[in-house]
Amino acid sequence: MHVAELMATKVFTVEPQDMIDRVFFLIHYEKIRHLPVVEKGKVVGIVSDRDLYKALGPKSNSNAVAPNKDETQLHVVPTKVQNIMRRGVLTVTPDTLAADAAAIMAEHKVGALPVVENDKLVGILSATDILRVFSQIAPRPEPVQA
């Protein structure tokens, strides 16, 4: 089985210069967890829901949160995607074996891999896509009669 058989082809993306409120909107309203970051048609990074929560979380050490004048409350400073995205993103092609893609995800502890062909983003493969197929093909034990 190849990545092309499992991947989602409807891929939401963001650009490095986008504000993180766009990431927030897409993650929450489109119910996705990973957004490839694309610049000039090429994948340059990826941002996940965890990256977003880390940037916006109450214990964040990032520049996403800064004190007010009176330092009693925190407010969100507009932050760009480039400040929270992960660079050097791992990718696969549609022809990559699904088992190889799963091994890459497990080895590098990532939840999704952008799928590229000729340097163009053509899909995304998530751990959920792999688990969905596994749950359909894995043998299930017969129920035990009491």
Side-chain angles (χ1 to χ4, degrees):
M1 183 173 293
H2 292 92
V3 166
E5 299 170 65
L6 307 178
M7 70 184 194
T9 56
K10 180 180 179 183
V11 184
F12 293 95
T13 64
V14 290
E15 295 182 3
Q17 297 301 318
D18 287 341
M19 302 306 285
I20 63 171
D21 59 346
R22 177 165 164 73
V23 173
F24 181 87
F25 175 84
L26 289 169
I27 284 173
H28 286 281
Y29 292 100
E30 296 297 338
K31 304 211 183 300
I32 54 176
R33 294 190 317 223
H34 302 90
L35 288 163
V37 182
V38 178
E39 186 173 44
K40 297 179 183 172
K42 291 189 177 186
V43 176
V44 295
I46 193 163
V47 64
S48 71
D49 56 350
R50 286 185 184 180
D51 299 323
L52 177 67
Y53 298 143
K54 185 189 281 186
L56 298 178
K59 295 181 182 179
S60 175
N61 291 329
S62 75
N63 64 356
V65 180
N68 278 341
K69 291 178 188 174
D70 64 3
E71 297 194 22
T72 59
Q73 296 180 352
L74 296 177
H75 71 281
V76 176
V77 176
T79 300
K80 293 183 178 180
V81 168
Q82 67 188 3
N83 296 331
I84 66 169
M85 73 182 200
R86 296 182 185 260
R87 291 169 172 74
V89 62
L90 299 168
T91 62
V92 291
T93 67
D95 295 330
T96 302
L97 291 174
D100 291 342
I104 291 168
M105 293 169 79
E107 179 181 342
H108 296 279
K109 297 180 181 172
V110 296
L113 295 169
V115 182
V116 296
E117 190 168 42
N118 299 322
D119 286 334
K120 182 181 177 200
L121 181 69
V122 295
I124 190 164
L125 179 70
S126 71
T128 302
D129 298 326
I130 293 170
L131 288 171
R132 186 178 300 114
V133 171
F134 178 78
S135 70
Q136 293 170 353
I137 63 173
R140 295 191 177 144
E142 294 294 322
V144 177
Q145 299 288 329

